[in-house]
Amino acid sequence: MSLLPPQIQKTIEEFTKLPGIGPKSAERLTFHLLRSSKASPEGLGKALIELKSDIRYCNVCQMVTLLERCSICESAARDQGTILVVENPLEVIAFEKTGFKGVYHVLHGVLSPIDGMGPEQLKLKELVIRAKKGGVTEVIIATNPDVEGEATANYLRMQLKEYVPSITRLAHGLPMGADIEFADQVTLREALSGRRSL
Amino acid sequence: MSLLPPQIQKTIEEFTKLPGIGPKSAERLTFHLLRSSKASPEGLGKALIELKSDIRYCNVCQMVTLLERCSICESAARDQGTILVVENPLEVIAFEKTGFKGVYHVLHGVLSPIDGMGPEQLKLKELVIRAKKGGVTEVIIATNPDVEGEATANYLRMQLKEYVPSITRLAHGLPMGADIEFADQVTLREALSGRRSL
């Protein structure tokens, strides 16, 4: 027989299913919620139960939204001919802070056969349909600079090249504030080959 | 206007209230729950809403339980005269794994004036009542070896000394598997002064 009441055990178990939360953190979070005056289990619980309600993907760019089309795709102020392709919705939020004036396409993942992610699992078809319709002058591929991201970028280039005049990839190089001494050789090589005249 | 639907923002906000979860982790957890097949927002949400239902503190030891008295306080196999005093319910679980055969008392915190934790906020009164009733031969104080834990241990000793013949504190010293080279000086001093003959 376990010492902890079943609803406490159940909550610990559900927290453990989340990425980066082990059994000890799950226990700590659960007991924090039991005692805390700031965080309440009911508040988080209610938010979670309502999380998926009415959430849908924008018909055009596949961003999470409540409407048929998201506000970016509806906006006349945005350049609908420049599409920035990202892996997930949070990256849209990140790029919005840069002042980017084009539109987005969210893939909801990257090609990764090991995780069972093939072209059918991603929102790739929808991007090709957008490109085929015409009017797209540039597709900027902003998948992460890792093996899966590079493979996805190459696959996208193959699929899009006959419909889109310009397909680009984000620049690779040293991040701002980096210390060259500690940069890895791949990054340094990219930074060298991508050098620009001052 | 924010880009993310309100229920997603609300979930991120509620996650951020938890200890050790910043805005980035909260976003990651929320989007994981939106997509994951293993973890579901409804499962965690339901568990959280039911978390506090029927949860009460044992009349005797203040452990979380569903009954008036917890199974340890009810057990005839336990030595009801030896009370191990801990800060929180998870420590009861930890000591149960050691095969300890006495009973517990959960303080639900430690004395910490900065956090507004005085003797009234803790389950101290209940411990003194248990001691006054008689039959308690030893109180083992197992608060954490830090400033608040030591202060709480001293306060407890003052409150209990006229009712309990033996008041003890957990041994301090090197943890098993420790590397003496990297041990701090306070721990080494405690390990030296608490040395035992072989």
Short mmCIF file of all heavy atoms in Angstrom, two decimals, chain A residues 1 3-8 11 14 18-19 27 31-34 41 43-45 47-53 55 66 71-72 89-90 93 96, chain B residues 1 3-8 11 14 18-19 27 29 31-34 41 43-45 47-53 55 66 71-72 89-90 93 96:
data_model
loop_
_atom_site.label_atom_id
_atom_site.label_comp_id
_atom_site.label_asym_id
_atom_site.label_seq_id
_atom_site.Cartn_x
_atom_site.Cartn_y
_atom_site.Cartn_z
N MET A 1 0.84 -1.20 0.00
CA MET A 1 0.00 0.00 0.00
C MET A 1 0.87 1.25 0.00
O MET A 1 1.85 1.33 0.73
CB MET A 1 -0.87 0.00 1.26
CG MET A 1 -2.09 0.91 1.16
SD MET A 1 -2.79 1.22 2.79
CE MET A 1 -1.96 2.74 3.23
N LEU A 3 1.80 5.17 0.61
CA LEU A 3 1.50 6.14 1.67
C LEU A 3 0.76 7.36 1.17
O LEU A 3 0.01 7.98 1.91
CB LEU A 3 2.81 6.60 2.30
CG LEU A 3 3.26 5.82 3.51
CD1 LEU A 3 4.65 6.25 3.89
CD2 LEU A 3 2.29 6.04 4.65
N LEU A 4 0.99 7.72 -0.08
CA LEU A 4 0.39 8.96 -0.57
C LEU A 4 -1.01 8.70 -1.12
O LEU A 4 -1.24 7.71 -1.80
CB LEU A 4 1.27 9.56 -1.67
CG LEU A 4 2.59 10.16 -1.21
CD1 LEU A 4 3.40 10.60 -2.42
CD2 LEU A 4 2.36 11.33 -0.29
N PRO A 5 -1.95 9.61 -0.84
CA PRO A 5 -3.30 9.46 -1.38
C PRO A 5 -3.27 9.37 -2.91
O PRO A 5 -2.39 9.98 -3.55
CB PRO A 5 -3.99 10.75 -0.92
CG PRO A 5 -3.25 11.17 0.30
CD PRO A 5 -1.82 10.77 0.06
N PRO A 6 -4.21 8.62 -3.51
CA PRO A 6 -4.16 8.36 -4.96
C PRO A 6 -4.18 9.62 -5.82
O PRO A 6 -3.52 9.65 -6.86
CB PRO A 6 -5.40 7.49 -5.22
CG PRO A 6 -6.22 7.57 -3.99
CD PRO A 6 -5.31 7.89 -2.85
N GLN A 7 -4.91 10.66 -5.43
CA GLN A 7 -4.94 11.84 -6.30
C GLN A 7 -3.59 12.55 -6.32
O GLN A 7 -3.23 13.17 -7.32
CB GLN A 7 -6.09 12.81 -5.95
CG GLN A 7 -6.11 13.36 -4.56
CD GLN A 7 -6.90 12.48 -3.61
OE1 GLN A 7 -6.60 11.28 -3.48
NE2 GLN A 7 -7.85 13.04 -2.92
N ILE A 8 -2.82 12.44 -5.24
CA ILE A 8 -1.47 13.01 -5.24
C ILE A 8 -0.57 12.18 -6.16
O ILE A 8 0.17 12.71 -6.98
CB ILE A 8 -0.90 13.08 -3.80
CG1 ILE A 8 -1.73 14.08 -2.97
CG2 ILE A 8 0.58 13.46 -3.80
CD1 ILE A 8 -1.19 14.33 -1.58
N THR A 11 -1.34 12.89 -9.82
CA THR A 11 -0.80 14.17 -10.30
C THR A 11 0.70 14.05 -10.54
O THR A 11 1.22 14.51 -11.55
CB THR A 11 -1.09 15.29 -9.27
OG1 THR A 11 -2.49 15.29 -8.99
CG2 THR A 11 -0.69 16.65 -9.81
N GLU A 14 1.23 12.20 -13.77
CA GLU A 14 0.94 12.99 -14.96
C GLU A 14 2.05 14.02 -15.22
O GLU A 14 2.43 14.26 -16.35
CB GLU A 14 -0.41 13.70 -14.84
CG GLU A 14 -1.62 12.78 -14.93
CD GLU A 14 -1.87 12.26 -16.35
OE1 GLU A 14 -1.45 12.93 -17.31
OE2 GLU A 14 -2.46 11.17 -16.49
N LEU A 18 5.73 14.82 -18.62
CA LEU A 18 6.17 16.02 -19.33
C LEU A 18 7.68 16.00 -19.54
O LEU A 18 8.42 15.45 -18.73
CB LEU A 18 5.77 17.27 -18.55
CG LEU A 18 4.26 17.48 -18.40
CD1 LEU A 18 3.98 18.70 -17.55
CD2 LEU A 18 3.62 17.64 -19.77
N PRO A 19 8.15 16.61 -20.63
CA PRO A 19 9.59 16.58 -20.91
C PRO A 19 10.37 17.37 -19.87
O PRO A 19 9.96 18.47 -19.49
CB PRO A 19 9.69 17.24 -22.29
CG PRO A 19 8.47 18.09 -22.41
CD PRO A 19 7.39 17.39 -21.64
N GLU A 27 7.14 15.41 -7.85
CA GLU A 27 6.73 15.44 -6.44
C GLU A 27 6.75 16.86 -5.91
O GLU A 27 5.83 17.33 -5.24
CB GLU A 27 7.67 14.58 -5.59
CG GLU A 27 7.47 13.09 -5.75
CD GLU A 27 8.46 12.28 -4.93
OE1 GLU A 27 9.39 12.85 -4.32
OE2 GLU A 27 8.32 11.05 -4.89
N PHE A 31 3.48 18.96 -4.54
CA PHE A 31 3.34 19.46 -3.17
C PHE A 31 3.36 20.98 -3.12
O PHE A 31 2.74 21.59 -2.26
CB PHE A 31 4.40 18.84 -2.24
CG PHE A 31 3.97 17.49 -1.76
CD1 PHE A 31 4.29 16.35 -2.46
CD2 PHE A 31 3.17 17.37 -0.63
CE1 PHE A 31 3.85 15.10 -2.03
CE2 PHE A 31 2.73 16.14 -0.20
CZ PHE A 31 3.07 14.98 -0.89
N HIS A 32 4.05 21.59 -4.08
CA HIS A 32 4.00 23.05 -4.16
C HIS A 32 2.57 23.50 -4.43
O HIS A 32 2.06 24.42 -3.79
CB HIS A 32 4.93 23.55 -5.27
CG HIS A 32 4.90 25.04 -5.42
ND1 HIS A 32 5.69 25.88 -4.67
CD2 HIS A 32 4.14 25.84 -6.22
CE1 HIS A 32 5.43 27.13 -5.01
NE2 HIS A 32 4.50 27.14 -5.95
N LEU A 33 1.90 22.82 -5.37
CA LEU A 33 0.53 23.19 -5.71
C LEU A 33 -0.43 22.94 -4.55
O LEU A 33 -1.42 23.65 -4.39
CB LEU A 33 0.07 22.40 -6.95
CG LEU A 33 0.58 22.96 -8.28
CD1 LEU A 33 0.39 21.95 -9.39
CD2 LEU A 33 -0.14 24.25 -8.62
N LEU A 34 -0.14 21.94 -3.73
CA LEU A 34 -1.00 21.64 -2.59
C LEU A 34 -0.95 22.77 -1.55
O LEU A 34 -1.93 23.01 -0.86
CB LEU A 34 -0.55 20.34 -1.91
CG LEU A 34 -1.24 19.06 -2.35
CD1 LEU A 34 -0.63 17.87 -1.62
CD2 LEU A 34 -2.74 19.11 -2.07
N PRO A 41 -3.79 24.39 -7.94
CA PRO A 41 -4.00 23.25 -8.83
C PRO A 41 -5.25 23.44 -9.69
O PRO A 41 -5.26 23.04 -10.85
CB PRO A 41 -4.14 22.06 -7.88
CG PRO A 41 -4.35 22.63 -6.52
CD PRO A 41 -3.79 24.00 -6.52
N GLY A 43 -6.47 26.30 -10.86
CA GLY A 43 -6.18 27.26 -11.93
C GLY A 43 -5.48 26.59 -13.10
O GLY A 43 -5.92 26.68 -14.25
N LEU A 44 -4.40 25.88 -12.80
CA LEU A 44 -3.65 25.19 -13.85
C LEU A 44 -4.51 24.08 -14.45
O LEU A 44 -4.52 23.88 -15.67
CB LEU A 44 -2.35 24.63 -13.27
CG LEU A 44 -1.45 23.85 -14.23
CD1 LEU A 44 -1.09 24.66 -15.46
CD2 LEU A 44 -0.17 23.40 -13.53
N GLY A 45 -5.25 23.37 -13.59
CA GLY A 45 -6.10 22.27 -14.07
C GLY A 45 -7.14 22.76 -15.06
O GLY A 45 -7.31 22.17 -16.13
N ALA A 47 -7.07 25.54 -16.84
CA ALA A 47 -6.40 26.02 -18.04
C ALA A 47 -6.06 24.84 -18.96
O ALA A 47 -6.23 24.90 -20.17
CB ALA A 47 -5.15 26.80 -17.68
N LEU A 48 -5.58 23.74 -18.36
CA LEU A 48 -5.17 22.58 -19.15
C LEU A 48 -6.36 21.91 -19.83
O LEU A 48 -6.28 21.47 -20.97
CB LEU A 48 -4.44 21.58 -18.27
CG LEU A 48 -3.01 21.98 -17.91
CD1 LEU A 48 -2.47 21.10 -16.80
CD2 LEU A 48 -2.12 21.86 -19.14
N ILE A 49 -7.48 21.82 -19.07
CA ILE A 49 -8.65 21.15 -19.65
C ILE A 49 -9.21 21.97 -20.82
O ILE A 49 -9.68 21.43 -21.81
CB ILE A 49 -9.70 20.90 -18.55
CG1 ILE A 49 -9.24 19.68 -17.73
CG2 ILE A 49 -11.10 20.68 -19.12
CD1 ILE A 49 -10.07 19.35 -16.54
N GLU A 50 -9.07 23.30 -20.72
CA GLU A 50 -9.58 24.14 -21.81
C GLU A 50 -8.54 24.37 -22.90
O GLU A 50 -8.84 25.00 -23.91
CB GLU A 50 -10.02 25.50 -21.24
CG GLU A 50 -11.33 25.38 -20.48
CD GLU A 50 -11.62 26.60 -19.63
OE1 GLU A 50 -10.92 27.62 -19.79
OE2 GLU A 50 -12.55 26.51 -18.80
N LEU A 51 -7.33 23.84 -22.68
CA LEU A 51 -6.22 24.16 -23.58
C LEU A 51 -6.54 23.87 -25.05
O LEU A 51 -6.31 24.70 -25.92
CB LEU A 51 -4.97 23.38 -23.15
CG LEU A 51 -3.72 23.55 -24.00
CD1 LEU A 51 -3.30 25.01 -24.04
CD2 LEU A 51 -2.58 22.71 -23.46
N LYS A 52 -7.10 22.69 -25.30
CA LYS A 52 -7.28 22.29 -26.69
C LYS A 52 -8.60 22.78 -27.30
O LYS A 52 -8.80 22.65 -28.50
CB LYS A 52 -7.21 20.77 -26.80
CG LYS A 52 -5.78 20.25 -26.90
CD LYS A 52 -5.79 18.75 -27.16
CE LYS A 52 -4.39 18.21 -27.42
NZ LYS A 52 -4.35 16.75 -27.38
N SER A 53 -9.50 23.32 -26.44
CA SER A 53 -10.82 23.68 -26.96
C SER A 53 -10.71 24.83 -27.95
O SER A 53 -10.08 25.84 -27.69
CB SER A 53 -11.75 24.06 -25.81
OG SER A 53 -11.22 25.17 -25.13
N ILE A 55 -9.00 25.32 -30.36
CA ILE A 55 -7.70 25.58 -30.99
C ILE A 55 -7.71 24.93 -32.38
O ILE A 55 -8.09 23.78 -32.52
CB ILE A 55 -6.55 24.97 -30.16
CG1 ILE A 55 -6.36 25.74 -28.87
CG2 ILE A 55 -5.25 24.92 -30.95
CD1 ILE A 55 -5.59 27.02 -29.01
N LEU A 66 -7.60 30.75 -33.28
CA LEU A 66 -8.99 30.41 -32.98
C LEU A 66 -9.86 30.57 -34.21
O LEU A 66 -11.01 30.17 -34.22
CB LEU A 66 -9.53 31.34 -31.87
CG LEU A 66 -8.85 31.20 -30.50
CD1 LEU A 66 -9.43 32.22 -29.54
CD2 LEU A 66 -9.04 29.79 -29.97
N SER A 71 -4.28 36.12 -37.77
CA SER A 71 -4.26 37.56 -38.02
C SER A 71 -3.13 37.96 -38.97
O SER A 71 -3.24 38.95 -39.68
CB SER A 71 -4.13 38.30 -36.69
OG SER A 71 -3.01 37.83 -35.98
N ILE A 72 -2.05 37.20 -39.00
CA ILE A 72 -0.93 37.54 -39.90
C ILE A 72 -1.33 37.28 -41.35
O ILE A 72 -1.09 38.11 -42.23
CB ILE A 72 0.34 36.74 -39.52
CG1 ILE A 72 0.81 37.15 -38.12
CG2 ILE A 72 1.44 36.95 -40.55
CD1 ILE A 72 1.96 36.33 -37.58
N PRO A 89 5.04 26.73 -33.65
CA PRO A 89 4.40 28.04 -33.47
C PRO A 89 5.22 29.02 -32.61
O PRO A 89 5.14 30.22 -32.81
CB PRO A 89 3.09 27.69 -32.75
CG PRO A 89 2.81 26.27 -33.11
CD PRO A 89 4.16 25.63 -33.23
N LEU A 90 6.01 28.49 -31.66
CA LEU A 90 6.77 29.40 -30.80
C LEU A 90 7.82 30.17 -31.59
O LEU A 90 8.21 31.27 -31.21
CB LEU A 90 7.47 28.61 -29.69
CG LEU A 90 6.53 28.10 -28.61
CD1 LEU A 90 7.29 27.22 -27.63
CD2 LEU A 90 5.88 29.28 -27.88
N ILE A 93 6.40 33.36 -32.87
CA ILE A 93 6.44 34.40 -31.84
C ILE A 93 7.83 35.02 -31.80
O ILE A 93 7.98 36.24 -31.71
CB ILE A 93 6.10 33.79 -30.45
CG1 ILE A 93 4.83 32.94 -30.51
CG2 ILE A 93 6.00 34.88 -29.39
CD1 ILE A 93 3.56 33.68 -30.71
N GLU A 96 8.40 37.23 -34.84
CA GLU A 96 7.57 38.43 -34.80
C GLU A 96 8.28 39.56 -34.04
O GLU A 96 8.11 40.73 -34.34
CB GLU A 96 6.22 38.15 -34.13
CG GLU A 96 5.18 37.57 -35.08
CD GLU A 96 4.85 38.51 -36.23
OE1 GLU A 96 4.06 39.42 -36.03
OE2 GLU A 96 5.42 38.32 -37.33
N MET B 1 -2.19 43.16 -29.84
CA MET B 1 -2.88 41.85 -29.80
C MET B 1 -1.85 40.74 -29.79
O MET B 1 -0.88 40.76 -30.53
CB MET B 1 -3.76 41.71 -31.03
CG MET B 1 -4.82 40.64 -30.89
SD MET B 1 -5.57 40.23 -32.49
CE MET B 1 -4.58 38.81 -32.96
N LEU B 3 -0.41 36.96 -30.43
CA LEU B 3 -0.57 35.98 -31.50
C LEU B 3 -1.15 34.67 -31.01
O LEU B 3 -1.80 33.96 -31.75
CB LEU B 3 0.80 35.69 -32.11
CG LEU B 3 1.17 36.55 -33.30
CD1 LEU B 3 2.60 36.29 -33.67
CD2 LEU B 3 0.24 36.24 -34.46
N LEU B 4 -0.87 34.34 -29.75
CA LEU B 4 -1.29 33.02 -29.25
C LEU B 4 -2.71 33.08 -28.72
O LEU B 4 -3.08 34.03 -28.03
CB LEU B 4 -0.34 32.55 -28.15
CG LEU B 4 1.06 32.15 -28.61
CD1 LEU B 4 1.93 31.83 -27.41
CD2 LEU B 4 1.02 30.96 -29.54
N PRO B 5 -3.51 32.05 -29.00
CA PRO B 5 -4.88 32.01 -28.46
C PRO B 5 -4.87 32.10 -26.93
O PRO B 5 -3.92 31.62 -26.30
CB PRO B 5 -5.38 30.64 -28.93
CG PRO B 5 -4.58 30.33 -30.15
CD PRO B 5 -3.23 30.93 -29.90
N PRO B 6 -5.92 32.71 -26.35
CA PRO B 6 -5.91 32.96 -24.89
C PRO B 6 -5.75 31.71 -24.04
O PRO B 6 -5.09 31.78 -22.99
CB PRO B 6 -7.26 33.64 -24.64
CG PRO B 6 -8.05 33.45 -25.88
CD PRO B 6 -7.11 33.28 -26.99
N GLN B 7 -6.31 30.57 -24.44
CA GLN B 7 -6.18 29.40 -23.56
C GLN B 7 -4.74 28.89 -23.52
O GLN B 7 -4.31 28.32 -22.53
CB GLN B 7 -7.19 28.28 -23.92
CG GLN B 7 -7.11 27.74 -25.31
CD GLN B 7 -8.03 28.50 -26.24
OE1 GLN B 7 -7.93 29.73 -26.34
NE2 GLN B 7 -8.90 27.82 -26.95
N ILE B 8 -3.99 29.12 -24.61
CA ILE B 8 -2.58 28.74 -24.61
C ILE B 8 -1.80 29.69 -23.69
O ILE B 8 -1.00 29.26 -22.85
CB ILE B 8 -2.00 28.75 -26.05
CG1 ILE B 8 -2.68 27.65 -26.88
CG2 ILE B 8 -0.48 28.58 -26.04
CD1 ILE B 8 -2.10 27.47 -28.26
N THR B 11 -2.49 28.87 -20.02
CA THR B 11 -1.76 27.68 -19.55
C THR B 11 -0.29 28.02 -19.30
O THR B 11 0.29 27.62 -18.29
CB THR B 11 -1.88 26.53 -20.58
OG1 THR B 11 -3.26 26.34 -20.87
CG2 THR B 11 -1.29 25.25 -20.05
N GLU B 14 -0.04 29.92 -16.07
CA GLU B 14 -0.22 29.09 -14.87
C GLU B 14 1.03 28.24 -14.62
O GLU B 14 1.44 28.05 -13.48
CB GLU B 14 -1.45 28.19 -15.02
CG GLU B 14 -2.78 28.94 -14.93
CD GLU B 14 -3.10 29.42 -13.52
OE1 GLU B 14 -2.60 28.83 -12.55
OE2 GLU B 14 -3.83 30.43 -13.39
N LEU B 18 4.78 27.98 -11.22
CA LEU B 18 5.39 26.85 -10.51
C LEU B 18 6.88 27.09 -10.29
O LEU B 18 7.53 27.75 -11.09
CB LEU B 18 5.17 25.56 -11.30
CG LEU B 18 3.72 25.12 -11.43
CD1 LEU B 18 3.61 23.87 -12.29
CD2 LEU B 18 3.11 24.84 -10.06
N PRO B 19 7.43 26.53 -9.20
CA PRO B 19 8.86 26.76 -8.92
C PRO B 19 9.73 26.09 -9.98
O PRO B 19 9.48 24.95 -10.37
CB PRO B 19 9.05 26.09 -7.55
CG PRO B 19 7.94 25.10 -7.44
CD PRO B 19 6.79 25.65 -8.21
N GLU B 27 6.30 27.58 -21.99
CA GLU B 27 5.88 27.50 -23.40
C GLU B 27 6.11 26.09 -23.93
O GLU B 27 5.25 25.50 -24.58
CB GLU B 27 6.69 28.48 -24.25
CG GLU B 27 6.29 29.93 -24.09
CD GLU B 27 7.15 30.87 -24.91
OE1 GLU B 27 8.16 30.42 -25.51
OE2 GLU B 27 6.84 32.06 -24.96
N LEU B 29 6.37 23.25 -22.28
CA LEU B 29 5.45 22.28 -21.67
C LEU B 29 4.07 22.38 -22.31
O LEU B 29 3.43 21.38 -22.62
CB LEU B 29 5.35 22.51 -20.16
CG LEU B 29 6.59 22.18 -19.34
CD1 LEU B 29 6.40 22.61 -17.89
CD2 LEU B 29 6.90 20.69 -19.41
N PHE B 31 3.17 23.55 -25.32
CA PHE B 31 3.10 23.04 -26.68
C PHE B 31 3.33 21.54 -26.73
O PHE B 31 2.80 20.85 -27.60
CB PHE B 31 4.06 23.81 -27.61
CG PHE B 31 3.44 25.08 -28.10
CD1 PHE B 31 3.59 26.25 -27.38
CD2 PHE B 31 2.65 25.09 -29.23
CE1 PHE B 31 2.98 27.43 -27.80
CE2 PHE B 31 2.05 26.25 -29.66
CZ PHE B 31 2.21 27.43 -28.95
N HIS B 32 4.11 21.02 -25.77
CA HIS B 32 4.26 19.57 -25.70
C HIS B 32 2.90 18.93 -25.43
O HIS B 32 2.52 17.95 -26.07
CB HIS B 32 5.25 19.20 -24.60
CG HIS B 32 5.43 17.73 -24.44
ND1 HIS B 32 6.32 17.00 -25.19
CD2 HIS B 32 4.79 16.84 -23.64
CE1 HIS B 32 6.24 15.73 -24.85
NE2 HIS B 32 5.31 15.60 -23.90
N LEU B 33 2.16 19.50 -24.49
CA LEU B 33 0.84 18.94 -24.14
C LEU B 33 -0.14 19.06 -25.30
O LEU B 33 -1.03 18.23 -25.47
CB LEU B 33 0.28 19.66 -22.91
CG LEU B 33 0.87 19.18 -21.58
CD1 LEU B 33 0.54 20.15 -20.46
CD2 LEU B 33 0.32 17.80 -21.24
N LEU B 34 0.01 20.09 -26.12
CA LEU B 34 -0.89 20.26 -27.27
C LEU B 34 -0.68 19.16 -28.31
O LEU B 34 -1.60 18.78 -29.00
CB LEU B 34 -0.62 21.62 -27.95
CG LEU B 34 -1.48 22.79 -27.50
CD1 LEU B 34 -1.04 24.04 -28.24
CD2 LEU B 34 -2.96 22.53 -27.78
N PRO B 41 -3.27 17.14 -21.93
CA PRO B 41 -3.63 18.24 -21.04
C PRO B 41 -4.85 17.87 -20.18
O PRO B 41 -4.92 18.27 -19.02
CB PRO B 41 -3.94 19.40 -21.99
CG PRO B 41 -4.07 18.81 -23.35
CD PRO B 41 -3.32 17.53 -23.35
N GLY B 43 -5.65 14.87 -19.02
CA GLY B 43 -5.24 13.97 -17.94
C GLY B 43 -4.64 14.72 -16.78
O GLY B 43 -5.06 14.56 -15.63
N LEU B 44 -3.66 15.58 -17.08
CA LEU B 44 -3.03 16.37 -16.02
C LEU B 44 -4.03 17.34 -15.42
O LEU B 44 -4.08 17.54 -14.20
CB LEU B 44 -1.80 17.11 -16.59
CG LEU B 44 -1.04 18.00 -15.63
CD1 LEU B 44 -0.56 17.24 -14.41
CD2 LEU B 44 0.16 18.66 -16.33
N GLY B 45 -4.85 17.94 -16.27
CA GLY B 45 -5.85 18.90 -15.80
C GLY B 45 -6.81 18.28 -14.81
O GLY B 45 -7.08 18.84 -13.75
N ALA B 47 -6.37 15.53 -13.04
CA ALA B 47 -5.64 15.16 -11.82
C ALA B 47 -5.46 16.37 -10.92
O ALA B 47 -5.62 16.29 -9.70
CB ALA B 47 -4.28 14.55 -12.19
N LEU B 48 -5.15 17.53 -11.51
CA LEU B 48 -4.91 18.73 -10.72
C LEU B 48 -6.19 19.23 -10.06
O LEU B 48 -6.17 19.67 -8.91
CB LEU B 48 -4.32 19.83 -11.61
CG LEU B 48 -2.84 19.64 -11.95
CD1 LEU B 48 -2.44 20.58 -13.07
CD2 LEU B 48 -1.98 19.89 -10.72
N ILE B 49 -7.31 19.15 -10.79
CA ILE B 49 -8.56 19.65 -10.22
C ILE B 49 -8.99 18.77 -9.05
O ILE B 49 -9.53 19.25 -8.06
CB ILE B 49 -9.63 19.75 -11.33
CG1 ILE B 49 -9.35 21.03 -12.14
CG2 ILE B 49 -11.04 19.76 -10.76
CD1 ILE B 49 -10.21 21.23 -13.33
N GLU B 50 -8.67 17.48 -9.15
CA GLU B 50 -9.06 16.57 -8.06
C GLU B 50 -8.00 16.50 -6.96
O GLU B 50 -8.19 15.84 -5.95
CB GLU B 50 -9.28 15.16 -8.63
CG GLU B 50 -10.60 15.08 -9.38
CD GLU B 50 -10.70 13.84 -10.25
OE1 GLU B 50 -9.85 12.93 -10.10
OE2 GLU B 50 -11.62 13.79 -11.08
N LEU B 51 -6.87 17.19 -7.19
CA LEU B 51 -5.73 17.03 -6.28
C LEU B 51 -6.08 17.28 -4.82
O LEU B 51 -5.74 16.49 -3.95
CB LEU B 51 -4.60 17.98 -6.72
CG LEU B 51 -3.34 17.96 -5.86
CD1 LEU B 51 -2.72 16.58 -5.85
CD2 LEU B 51 -2.33 18.97 -6.38
N LYS B 52 -6.81 18.37 -4.57
CA LYS B 52 -7.04 18.73 -3.18
C LYS B 52 -8.29 18.07 -2.58
O LYS B 52 -8.52 18.16 -1.38
CB LYS B 52 -7.18 20.25 -3.06
CG LYS B 52 -5.84 20.96 -2.96
CD LYS B 52 -6.05 22.44 -2.73
CE LYS B 52 -4.74 23.17 -2.46
NZ LYS B 52 -4.93 24.64 -2.49
N SER B 53 -9.09 17.41 -3.42
CA SER B 53 -10.36 16.86 -2.91
C SER B 53 -10.09 15.75 -1.92
O SER B 53 -9.31 14.84 -2.18
CB SER B 53 -11.20 16.34 -4.07
OG SER B 53 -10.53 15.30 -4.73
N ILE B 55 -8.33 15.51 0.51
CA ILE B 55 -7.01 15.45 1.14
C ILE B 55 -7.10 16.11 2.50
O ILE B 55 -7.63 17.20 2.65
CB ILE B 55 -5.94 16.20 0.29
CG1 ILE B 55 -5.64 15.43 -0.98
CG2 ILE B 55 -4.67 16.46 1.08
CD1 ILE B 55 -4.70 14.28 -0.80
N LEU B 66 -6.20 10.36 3.47
CA LEU B 66 -7.62 10.50 3.15
C LEU B 66 -8.46 10.24 4.39
O LEU B 66 -9.66 10.48 4.39
CB LEU B 66 -8.02 9.50 2.06
CG LEU B 66 -7.36 9.71 0.69
CD1 LEU B 66 -7.77 8.61 -0.26
CD2 LEU B 66 -7.72 11.07 0.13
N SER B 71 -2.18 5.56 7.99
CA SER B 71 -1.97 4.13 8.24
C SER B 71 -0.80 3.88 9.19
O SER B 71 -0.78 2.88 9.91
CB SER B 71 -1.74 3.40 6.92
OG SER B 71 -0.69 4.02 6.21
N ILE B 72 0.17 4.79 9.22
CA ILE B 72 1.32 4.61 10.12
C ILE B 72 0.90 4.83 11.57
O ILE B 72 1.24 4.04 12.46
CB ILE B 72 2.48 5.57 9.73
CG1 ILE B 72 2.99 5.22 8.34
CG2 ILE B 72 3.60 5.51 10.76
CD1 ILE B 72 4.03 6.18 7.79
N PRO B 89 5.78 16.10 3.81
CA PRO B 89 5.33 14.72 3.62
C PRO B 89 6.27 13.87 2.77
O PRO B 89 6.37 12.66 2.98
CB PRO B 89 3.98 14.89 2.91
CG PRO B 89 3.50 16.24 3.26
CD PRO B 89 4.76 17.08 3.39
N LEU B 90 6.98 14.47 1.82
CA LEU B 90 7.86 13.68 0.96
C LEU B 90 9.00 13.06 1.76
O LEU B 90 9.55 12.02 1.40
CB LEU B 90 8.44 14.56 -0.15
CG LEU B 90 7.44 14.92 -1.23
CD1 LEU B 90 8.07 15.88 -2.22
CD2 LEU B 90 6.96 13.66 -1.94
N ILE B 93 8.03 9.72 3.08
CA ILE B 93 8.21 8.69 2.04
C ILE B 93 9.68 8.25 2.01
O ILE B 93 9.99 7.07 1.91
CB ILE B 93 7.81 9.24 0.65
CG1 ILE B 93 6.44 9.92 0.71
CG2 ILE B 93 7.86 8.15 -0.41
CD1 ILE B 93 5.28 9.00 0.89
N GLU B 96 10.54 6.16 5.06
CA GLU B 96 9.88 4.85 5.02
C GLU B 96 10.74 3.83 4.27
O GLU B 96 10.73 2.65 4.59
CB GLU B 96 8.51 4.95 4.35
CG GLU B 96 7.41 5.40 5.29
CD GLU B 96 7.21 4.44 6.45
OE1 GLU B 96 6.56 3.41 6.27
OE2 GLU B 96 7.73 4.72 7.54
#
